[in-house]
Amino acid sequence: DNQVVGLHPSCGLDAQPEWVIFNEFVLTTRPYIRTVTTVQPEWLLEYAPLYFNLGEFKDSEMKRALIKVQNKRTGRRDTPIEDGRKKKKQRR
């Protein structure tokens, strides 16, 4: 939801990882995430391609970061990935 959150003190992670998957969102004096595990963004694209279908994502910092990861995996340079939708042919 594009919210800034902190790691809950009870989550057990010492460092601030760049990518995580979490199970709980806790709202106290500030928003926290709890039950957290560190992940590599490549894993999201490889193991959950239906959930992380970048063609369906709204433009966001996360989408741009995942596009960079996808392009790196496929050997593309600064080339946008296909969004999975068929392009309409233009009639002349």
Side-chain angles (χ1 to χ4, degrees):
D1 292 330
N2 210 17
Q3 294 183 41
V4 176
V5 297
L7 295 174
H8 193 274
S10 70
C11 79
L13 294 178
D14 294 332
Q16 287 282 350
E18 186 174 1
W19 292 87
V20 297
I21 293 180
F22 66 94
N23 186 51
E24 293 179 82
F25 176 81
V26 180
L27 185 58
T28 59
T29 55
R30 58 182 260 205
Y32 287 106
I33 53 175
R34 191 165 52 184
T35 315
V36 178
T37 189
T38 303
V39 296
Q40 298 297 316
E42 296 85 0
W43 301 346
L44 305 175
L45 297 171
E46 184 175 346
Y47 297 113
L50 295 175
Y51 187 76
F52 289 92
N53 178 354
L54 300 179
E56 301 293 322
F57 278 41
K58 293 179 182 177
D59 187 39
S60 65
E61 182 179 347
M62 183 181 71
K63 179 178 181 175
R64 290 187 295 276
L66 287 172
I67 287 172
K68 286 181 182 179
V69 169
Q70 179 69 31
N71 288 344
K72 184 177 178 182
R73 287 179 65 209
T74 60
R76 297 180 184 174
R77 290 185 180 181
D78 299 329
T79 306
I81 64 165
E82 292 295 323
D83 67 4
R85 293 178 281 185
K86 294 182 180 180
K87 294 180 180 178
K88 293 181 181 179
K89 293 181 181 179
Q90 292 181 339
R91 294 186 181 187
R92 295 180 186 200

